[in-house]
Amino acid sequence: MPMPSLSPLASVPPAQRLPPPLRDCEPFADPSVADPALEAFLQQAAALLCRWLGQAGQGTPLPGLSVLPVVEPERAGLDSERLLADLQLVMEGAYNPNHPGALAHLDPPPLTASIVADLVCAGLNNNLLAEELSPSLSRLERALCAWMASRLGLPGGAGGVAASGGSLSNLMALVTARRQRGLACRGDAVVLCSEDAHVSLAKAVAVMGLPPEALVQLPVDAAGALEPLALESCLARLDRSATPVIAVVATAGTTVRGALDPLDTVATLCSRQGHWLHVDGAIGAIFAFSDRHRSGLAGLGRADSVTVNPQKLLGITKTSSLLLLADPSHLQQAFRTGLPYMEPSWGGGHQGEAGLQGSRPGEILKLWLGLRQLGLDGMAALIDGAVARRAELERRLRAIGGLALRGGPLHLIAFRPEGLDGPAAERWSIATRQCLLEEQLMLSRPHYRGHHHLKAVLGNPHTGPEQLDRLALVVQRSLMGGCGA
Ligand SMILES: *Cc1c(COP(=O)(O)O)cnc(C)c1O
């Protein structure tokens, strides 16, 4: 494979000297020439950003409290020099995902092509609401959604819409499912998922005007995956009581431990009884791009709808989520309102009528360019690398002994000392996280099954054996009381 000219993940500190300060930049770019002041402004901002990304490893992933610049606009507008100085202050207080010790969440370093596309997207300032405001981007979004759907195994004709995050994709999926099931007016309808499913489902149910009990959460097995027998008996019980089911939600990649629900078995149960299957694959669906790790996703292509969040592992800049449907026309049926102030669609329909959002940016641009930069090999390498790091960390933690490990087949692992009660586990998690932060390692502290855990997400390609060794050492020290818990 030829080496790309630019590493897709920013890691090289840029030249330290910045271009000379700018004199002035008009608030709007000159429409008659390539505006030299804007170009200089962009170059200066790019230099700041590259320096920030390139200094990640010298600081900590999570800076302490920083000075904020003045918040309100002054009477006279500021020149670009002042604006950049203000920007710098905000950047100094920002979480830095490019740090090799940034392991807390599903927020990896940004892909360089994705950064560039985001910038260009802002410059284009198109609007995915309607085709006349985003002619090429609307087509790109439809085409890329269709491609992604087919790669995930959905049937021909499948497609979807981009959304600003997985919470919104899940909400749109459930609203669409309810509409297709003819349950829009039923206050007694329910959504089924596992007890480890994402909190966005509870939000979705609330937004849909349903009581909290409408989200029926079923038990999981020892590996954190939905118990199919529990699902089967729950569906039978609901059938007997004539309780309508909006959808069954299976999770491909749970948020705390990366468990995969048994999609094929769940799909069979759903199709037998005609239930809508939504797969929340915000974390896991992307694993379909790895030959080595796609087997756990068998059955994904049988879903009626799938949420996928390329922002969570591939480094596509936030936000990047897709809602994909086996039959994307269901989206229009759920969300079409007519757009009386727009020219009629000349393509496949206005995206503003295929989802909940109205005006929104062409987020598809950074997904498209980022995936093109990585290539299929690069995507597989990112996924395989992340899983390998999880296995490496798991091996080190297992060797320490005395830890309850909650891992899965993906790139997440949560753990806590065995035998601590709830309050003691919480104290341990707080003290150990602090110890880790002092060693430039940032983990998160999820509350799971009545206990606080520490959780590592190994999606950061800058993380190497050095960080994993250090992490294991600090955890080992914490078990001997070395973190003051
Ligand atoms: C992160 C996550 C979501 C929500 O995605 P956002 O982009 O944060 O809104 C949904 N489901 C799962 C399983 C997730 O991990």
Side-chain angles (χ1 to χ4, degrees):
M1 192 178 73
M3 284 301 291
S5 56
L6 182 64
S7 161
L9 291 143
S11 61
V12 186
Q16 289 304 304
R17 204 157 349 102
L18 300 177
L22 304 166
R23 235 156 300 160
D24 59 331
C25 185
E26 292 297 323
F28 297 96
D30 190 325
S32 58
V33 294
D35 193 322
L38 172 61
E39 204 169 322
F41 193 10
L42 287 172
Q43 273 168 12
Q44 188 96 356
L48 276 187
L49 181 62
C50 290
R51 199 165 60 182
W52 182 79
L53 288 165
Q55 286 173 347
Q58 292 159 37
T60 138
L62 185 63
L65 277 187
S66 66
V67 184
L68 264 194
V70 178
V71 171
E72 69 270 26
E74 292 168 19
R75 182 153 295 278
L78 303 181
D79 61 17
S80 45
E81 205 177 331
R82 280 284 308 280
L83 295 176
L84 289 166
D86 282 358
L87 263 182
Q88 175 72 44
L89 283 179
V90 177
M91 289 164 76
E92 278 163 18
Y95 158 73
N96 201 326
N98 211 36
H99 192 292
L103 301 170
H105 298 287
L106 293 140
D107 291 69
L111 280 177
T112 54
S114 213
I115 298 173
V116 168
D118 229 345
L119 175 67
V120 170
C121 185
L124 298 179
N125 203 19
N126 274 214
N127 189 342
L128 267 288
L129 173 66
E131 283 172 327
E132 66 182 286
L133 292 171
S134 54
S136 55
L137 286 164
S138 290
R139 279 164 59 208
L140 188 64
E141 181 173 299
R142 269 196 297 273
L144 196 66
C145 285
W147 173 81
M148 181 66 83
S150 101
R151 292 295 305 216
L152 299 188
L154 292 164
V161 70
S164 296
S167 302
L168 201 45
S169 293
N170 282 343
L171 170 62
M172 293 194 296
L174 294 181
V175 169
T176 305
R178 178 164 74 173
R179 156 88 204 207
Q180 283 306 312
R181 317 283 304 144
L183 299 174
C185 301
R186 290 289 295 264
D188 58 343
V190 295
V191 173
L192 272 54
C193 65
S194 92
E195 56 188 323
D196 281 5
H198 192 258
V199 291
S200 56
L201 297 174
K203 268 194 212 173
V205 162
V207 173
M208 290 163 76
L210 298 169
E213 312 81 71
L215 188 66
V216 180
Q217 299 203 259
L218 300 166
V220 296
D221 64 17
L226 174 67
E227 283 275 12
L229 286 178
L231 174 61
E232 191 169 13
S233 63
C234 180
L235 285 172
R237 207 167 51 243
L238 293 169
D239 192 40
R240 280 196 302 276
S241 62
T243 305
V245 175
I246 294 171
V248 174
V249 179
T251 305
T254 57
T255 310
V256 172
R257 56 191 296 180
L260 298 170
D261 287 348
L263 304 182
D264 210 37
T265 310
V266 174
T268 300
L269 285 174
C270 287
S271 66
R272 201 190 292 158
Q273 301 176 36
H275 292 303
W276 183 285
L277 171 58
H278 174 64
V279 174
D280 180 358
I283 297 174
I286 215 75
F287 282 71
F289 287 91
S290 162
D291 288 340
R292 208 172 291 170
H293 298 297
R294 81 162 60 92
S295 60
L297 294 174
L300 178 60
R302 299 172 66 191
D304 295 285
S305 54
V306 178
T307 291
V308 47
N309 269 26
Q311 72 193 25
K312 285 204 161 172
L313 173 57
L314 295 180
I316 310 302
T317 50
K318 282 176 279 293
T319 49
S320 180
S321 177
L322 304 179
L323 172 61
L324 306 172
L325 283 93
D327 182 348
S329 72
H330 290 158
L331 280 174
Q332 269 99 8
Q333 286 158 28
F335 296 106
R336 183 158 45 214
T337 54
L339 283 179
Y341 28 78
M342 292 293 168
E343 284 301 304
S345 156
W346 54 78
H350 296 308
Q351 251 84 330
E353 295 194 273
L356 198 52
Q357 288 178 274
S359 293
R360 65 183 167 89
E363 292 176 307
I364 204 67
L365 200 63
K366 63 202 177 189
L367 174 58
W368 166 72
L369 210 67
L371 296 184
R372 300 266 299 162
Q373 180 183 37
L374 284 173
L376 296 171
D377 288 346
M379 294 166 72
L382 265 183
I383 294 162
D384 295 352
V387 177
R389 280 188 296 277
R390 192 267 303 147
E392 276 295 297
L393 178 60
E394 188 165 342
R395 195 173 57 72
R396 284 166 171 77
L397 295 175
R398 214 173 276 290
I400 295 173
L403 290 168
L405 301 179
R406 312 252 179 263
L410 307 186
H411 63 303
L412 293 79
I413 185 165
F415 54 94
R416 66 178 172 88
E418 274 164 354
L420 295 186
D421 63 10
E426 181 173 16
R427 282 195 302 276
W428 168 83
S429 70
I430 293 170
T432 308
R433 176 172 140 115
Q434 188 52 39
C435 259
L436 287 163
L437 276 173
E438 284 157 18
E439 295 286 337
Q440 319 298 333
L441 297 162
M442 181 177 167
L443 269 66
S444 57
R445 228 163 42 77
H447 190 254
Y448 180 69
R449 295 284 136 79
H451 288 85
H452 282 85
H453 291 65
L454 286 179
K455 168 177 134 183
V457 180
L458 283 308
N460 186 337
H462 300 321
T463 306
E466 186 197 325
Q467 282 78 28
L468 300 183
D469 285 342
R470 200 153 14 111
L471 202 169
L473 215 63
V474 174
V475 171
Q476 186 168 26
R477 188 149 44 89
S478 80
L479 294 184
M480 302 184 299
C483 285

